[in-house]
Amino acid sequence: MKESILHYIWQYKLFTQRGLTTTDGDSIEIIDIGKLNADAGPDFFNAKVKIGDTVWAGNVEIHTLASDWNRHNHQIDKSYNTVILHVVKKSDTSIFRADGEKIPQLELQYAADIEQNYEALINDRKWIPCADKIADVPSIFIQSWKNALLTERVVQKTEHIQALLSENNQLWEDAFYVSLARSFGFNTNSQTFEMLAKSLPLSILGKHKNDLFQVEALLFGQAGLLLQAENDLYQRSLAKEYTFLKSKYGLTPIDGSLWKLLRLRPDNFPHVRIAQFAAIIHSSSKLFSKIIENPDIEYLMQLMKCESSEYWKTHYLFGETSNSKSKKLGKSSIYSLIINTVVPLVFCYASRKGNDELKEKALMLLEKIPAERNSIITAWQNIGMEISSAYDSQAFLQLKKMYCDDKKCLRCRIGHKVLTIKKLEARI
Ligand code: SF4
């Protein structure tokens, strides 16, 4: 059997608790199961148990067999000297600490169906293991789990922002600029877009922000897309301007061959995205401060819906004319930028400032955005999950990626209900 199921049974107190005795026959009462330790060392910290008349405080180690204690060499490991109780499925030997003290042991007794349900669950080959059972889980539990998953996802996204802040002397506008650029890469070119932003400090771009032509010259030049400019008048003009600015600021462009066009729709070509990014830089200053002051969906849509320069109305690439079409950022692109950049950044800022109201506002932005449409979201909907906004879709994407795919059902609140629902119903 898997040791993780014993951890789970201990953590959620799913074991028989009346009339407990240690394997030596002493009465034992579990006062506090302790806190699960995800790092090295004993499995649960700061537990409290009463054995006989004595209350002990310390750590708990859990194994399938008592002899696993020796197999893992805990008997010679001083970090296990704090263990007050060894919890096992079967006690096949006595065990001792490195200091020679014998450790009390408890054999866990629990309903057989927990283990059977768990085995059935993780061996299920459906799209997700609990696909057939999730409909039985009360929606109130799913809702509260969704809230936790959503926060977990946003916090994970803030890790990259924390790194950007460190690289940018804790300057929020600069970190936002790089993060926004990365999101403009829309997966395929996100890394290259980030490299572009890092190669061109916001302080330099800011000096020319009132002149869209110069902003484009700097961005396309640093993107390495102005090196072969012989066929197109506009591209040649940008290249000329860039040559001057490059030498003025001592800039070094990135490798233009890093940009990927393969399998991209023309609207997603990096040239179009760079032109749109240039338009945003040109049309507003102190973007991050403005967003923090007014994290409102309508305002954000307005802020990001800016028109690229005239040339791009008839181009997707330099030198190739196309039918005239506005290259304003579309709604779904703006939604993606808000989900991936604005919400994590505002949340990260609010967390650092201890501003819970702003944190809440950041998350609530997702409720105003339609759910993403992709095969994962459709599959969740097909098994009855209600997904009506990006708040829901982001939570369910997190659940699939971080829990279902690795079968971490024991750490999932839906999994907890699926494994114990029969037990609860039986009690009622
Ligand atoms: S992790 Fe949770 S939602 Fe995913 S399959 Fe397991 S129990 Fe179901």
Side-chain angles (χ1 to χ4, degrees):
M1 82 167 305
K2 286 200 170 186
E3 212 167 86
S4 52
I5 187 96
L6 289 179
H7 286 217
Y8 169 77
I9 288 166
W10 178 257
Q11 186 178 7
Y12 291 100
K13 294 186 179 169
L14 299 174
F15 51 92
T16 309
Q17 293 183 58
R18 272 205 205 128
L20 284 183
T21 57
T22 67
T23 50
D24 285 338
D26 296 318
S27 66
I28 175 166
E29 182 192 340
I30 312 302
I31 301 168
D32 186 341
I33 54 111
K35 287 248 174 321
L36 181 65
N37 168 32
D39 299 318
D43 296 321
F44 285 81
F45 283 159
N46 302 326
K48 206 185 260 186
V49 300
K50 187 176 179 188
I51 300 177
D53 293 328
T54 311
V55 173
W56 298 87
N59 303 330
V60 168
E61 179 68 3
I62 298 179
H63 285 122
T64 308
L65 292 174
S67 53
D68 291 340
W69 175 270
N70 297 329
R71 215 161 46 80
H72 296 168
N73 290 326
H74 296 335
Q75 77 281 16
I76 52 168
D77 186 341
K78 284 183 187 156
S79 52
Y80 286 81
N81 276 352
T82 50
V83 170
I84 54 164
L85 182 67
H86 193 213
V87 174
V88 295
K89 166 92 172 153
K90 185 170 170 45
S91 174
D92 56 348
T93 186
S94 298
I95 59 145
F96 299 86
R97 296 190 198 104
D99 58 13
E101 280 282 320
K102 187 176 178 186
I103 303 176
Q105 302 200 82
L106 171 69
E107 278 188 342
L108 277 191
Q109 307 292 333
Y110 50 90
D113 59 1
I114 296 178
E115 212 173 308
Q116 287 157 7
N117 287 351
Y118 175 67
E119 290 300 329
L121 184 63
I122 60 157
N123 290 321
D124 202 309
R125 301 216 168 272
K126 302 234 167 29
W127 175 67
I128 55 163
C130 71
D132 281 351
K133 304 168 186 82
I134 198 167
D136 298 335
V137 177
S139 59
I140 190 167
F141 291 107
I142 295 181
Q143 185 57 47
S144 83
W145 186 213
K146 258 191 329 198
N147 298 342
L149 286 163
L150 195 269
T151 307
E152 184 182 290
R153 186 169 180 86
V154 175
V155 168
Q156 273 175 9
K157 286 185 184 180
T158 64
E159 284 166 17
H160 186 61
I161 294 162
Q162 307 274 13
L164 289 179
L165 279 166
S166 301
E167 289 168 23
N168 288 281
N169 296 322
Q170 305 300 321
L171 295 171
W172 287 93
E173 291 289 351
D174 294 55
F176 179 66
Y177 158 67
V178 179
S179 180
L180 186 66
R182 184 181 175 85
S183 292
F184 260 84
F186 293 92
N187 292 330
T188 310
N189 285 303
S190 47
Q191 246 179 324
T192 314
F193 234 115
E194 183 171 335
M195 284 170 68
L196 163 60
K198 285 180 173 173
S199 79
L200 178 59
L202 183 61
S203 55
I204 295 177
L205 205 48
K207 285 182 186 150
H208 301 274
K209 69 166 289 301
N210 292 330
D211 186 333
L212 181 55
F213 178 74
Q214 287 187 327
V215 173
E216 283 200 9
L218 281 164
L219 283 168
F220 280 108
Q222 280 304 98
L225 296 173
L226 296 177
L227 299 177
Q228 294 167 324
E230 60 274 2
N231 293 326
D232 185 278
L233 185 60
Y234 185 67
Q235 192 184 17
R236 278 207 303 274
S237 309
L238 286 177
K240 193 172 165 207
E241 186 69 22
Y242 172 64
T243 305
F244 165 73
L245 294 169
K246 177 179 179 249
S247 120
K248 180 176 178 181
Y249 295 114
L251 297 170
T252 306
I254 65 168
D255 179 355
S257 69
L258 293 171
W259 296 101
K260 296 187 192 100
L261 278 84
L262 203 66
R263 285 193 282 277
L264 284 183
R265 288 188 297 114
D267 282 337
N268 282 330
F269 280 178
H271 301 69
V272 174
R273 294 305 188 190
I274 293 171
Q276 290 167 336
F277 188 60
I280 286 199
I281 298 288
H282 168 62
S283 64
S284 56
S285 55
K286 303 269 178 210
L287 202 50
F288 178 71
S289 306
K290 284 181 180 158
I291 292 171
I292 288 295
E293 277 166 27
N294 191 10
D296 169 75
I297 192 73
E298 300 303 331
Y299 179 64
L300 288 169
M301 298 298 289
Q302 214 49 49
L303 216 52
M304 297 198 183
K305 211 172 195 169
C306 29
E307 190 64 85
S308 309
S309 66
E310 201 60 27
Y311 175 85
W312 295 105
K313 280 188 180 158
T314 51
H315 292 80
Y316 290 96
L317 294 166
F318 284 119
E320 292 180 24
T321 314
S322 61
N323 290 338
S324 181
K325 182 187 170 195
S326 165
K327 299 297 189 306
K328 269 185 186 174
L329 268 174
K331 262 188 175 180
S332 64
S333 296
I334 298 178
Y335 289 149
S336 169
L337 294 174
I338 295 173
I339 291 170
N340 293 308
T341 301
V342 173
V343 170
L345 246 127
V346 175
F347 188 89
C348 185
Y349 177 85
S351 301
R352 284 212 180 177
K353 300 287 173 193
N355 186 338
D356 290 341
E357 194 186 329
L358 188 57
K359 265 163 86 175
E360 191 63 16
K361 277 186 184 170
L363 298 181
M364 286 307 109
L365 276 173
L366 295 171
E367 287 207 329
K368 308 268 173 48
I369 295 176
E372 290 109 308
R373 280 185 290 175
N374 57 46
S375 58
I376 297 174
I377 298 304
T378 306
W380 278 116
Q381 288 169 324
N382 288 343
I383 58 170
M385 295 300 102
E386 199 182 318
I387 299 180
S388 52
S389 69
Y391 189 100
D392 299 334
S393 53
Q394 285 287 298
F396 278 104
L397 289 172
Q398 180 76 354
L399 178 54
K400 175 74 167 54
K401 185 174 171 200
M402 303 306 292
Y403 294 84
C404 309
D405 286 353
D406 293 333
K407 297 197 171 184
K408 288 185 180 159
C409 303
L410 292 178
R411 291 179 51 202
C412 163
R413 293 192 200 166
I414 293 170
H416 183 52
K417 282 291 148 199
V418 167
L419 291 176
T420 57
I421 213 156
K422 246 174 88 183
K423 218 167 168 283
L424 292 177
E425 276 168 359
R427 271 192 218 150
I428 292 166

